[in-house]
Amino acid sequence: MESTLQHVLAAATSQRRTFAIISHPDAGKTTLTEKLLLYSGLIRTAGMVRGRKGGKVTASDWMGMEQERGISITASAMQFPYKEAVINLLDTPGHQDFSEDTYRTLTAADSAIMVIDAAKGVEAQTRKLFAVCRMRNIPVLTLVNKMDLPGRQPLDLMTEVEQALDIQASAVNWPIGSGSDFVGIVNREDSRIQLFGRTAHGGATKVTVSELGLADLGASGRVSEETLMQVEHDLELLDIAGNQFSRERFLKGLVTPVFFASALTNFGIESFLDAFVDLAPAPGARPADLDGGGEISVDPIEAPFSAYVFKLQANMNPKHRDSTAFLRICSGRFERDMVVKHHRLNREIRLSRPHSMVAQERSTVEEAFPGDIIGIINPGIFAIGDTISTSGGFNFKTLPQFQPEIFARIRPTDVGKRKTFDKGMTQMAQEGTVQIMRSLNEGDQLVAAVGRLQFDVLQYRLRHEYRVETILDQLPYTCSAWLEGDPATFKAPSASMMVKDQRDRVVVLFGDTLMKSIGRDRNPEHILREMG
């Protein structure tokens, strides 16, 4: 019986592909997410990021503010079958103000897709997120998007990926034409060509594909003599001087496979998804700290059930008005209503009402396997980073906090709504939307964030979810650090302030980086940490 269960578990785990999409804002990440759902069959028509009035908006963006602004603010998790695989897609915020939420989400991913704008190349936020992937040994596939618009030369983009990110790039396919002349791709392994037909619905439905050999491209009538010569020249150059690709080197983070596509028109999306399923790793072992010291590797199949909380989100569905804890399953088989150990609280809990989500739509989960993401109703017992399991005795690696860079005081305009305001603030802090800080004498409360847009989201959600209007006064501090050492002996520079965070750790706020440097120089016996 045990061997049968192990066989089922091993088979289910090998099917899983759990990944995140990373990019700079506006590179097309949310559009790509929508098209992956389209090709999986989960949705029949894809909505534009900025839906027209009365029209369809993207399924992955659930918050009203996301739909209004056309950006992803929260990380959402979606599961869908694709051919023989089960895909868990973690859609992360692209805006840099939400990099901390993205970082936490990346801890739950086994691989990442890096989306690059064909006209803009490697941008600032892409570099930051790629660095996080490298730090966590997450293999990265590269998708050069927006090939249907005027852009840079593909060879120049490949060179920039290598130089900016210090990784070898290997083209798996190659574009035929660009901008309005982008008509297809060449698969470099077998020199087969896919030519795309434009859909009548502007990319809302699957694209038609015709396949032929490279030798037949000229006779197809779809490309000019100049384009044909350019494609042949580029392919020859890649064969002579291009980087060799192997899955082993990809999994080690030594090379990134590069694909060319247009998510807007669906050109190249299906073949990219096919390649992703073949290349991306299934869930593997994860490191964890033993309670008595030391480290273990938690095997997804051999170890009993275990998972950790990487995200909290309240009020995702106005009908429910509750908080959801998102769990990444790391080992064993999850079953509905199972009883597990909550490691931080040192008590047993029942995991009731588990569900999966696409935007606001919930589906009950009866069972789940390593790599899967499930939502659990959070009655106030889960915190970000919590480990649960059926065995106990360890904790998955803690999730660090980013250094806040903006600070403010916030208060309700109606003092009669103070209780509701406090409830909303507590919820937002638990989710990591903002950090709440207090003065050392407990008399003053502040909010801190990585970027200004987090404050906009805070006020938006307090208004729409808790019916509380607020006034926010920004403070004159631009950076901070966690203080190690006695705060009583810390010689603080003039433009600074000492506060405590939610875990009672002392944080020093500085007016600028110069003040921070002065604080370091004056206090060699203290340590100022950039991450908490």
Side-chain angles (χ1 to χ4, degrees), residues 161-212:
V161 167
E162 295 195 339
Q163 293 178 348
L165 305 177
D166 190 26
I167 189 172
Q168 289 189 359
S170 180
V172 174
N173 63 32
W174 200 250
I176 301 171
S178 63
S180 58
D181 296 326
F182 178 51
V183 295
I185 52 174
V186 184
N187 182 354
R188 289 190 59 219
E189 187 177 22
D190 58 9
S191 295
R192 295 292 295 173
I193 283 176
Q194 289 188 343
L195 293 178
F196 306 117
R198 297 193 179 276
T199 64
H201 306 290
T205 56
K206 293 181 182 180
V207 72
T208 58
V209 180
S210 53
E211 292 201 14
L212 60 153

Side-chain angles (χ1 to χ4, degrees), residues 49 128 285 302 336 341 424 452:
V49 174
K128 288 182 182 178
E302 299 298 327
R336 182 182 177 185
K341 293 183 173 94
R452 169 71 214 193

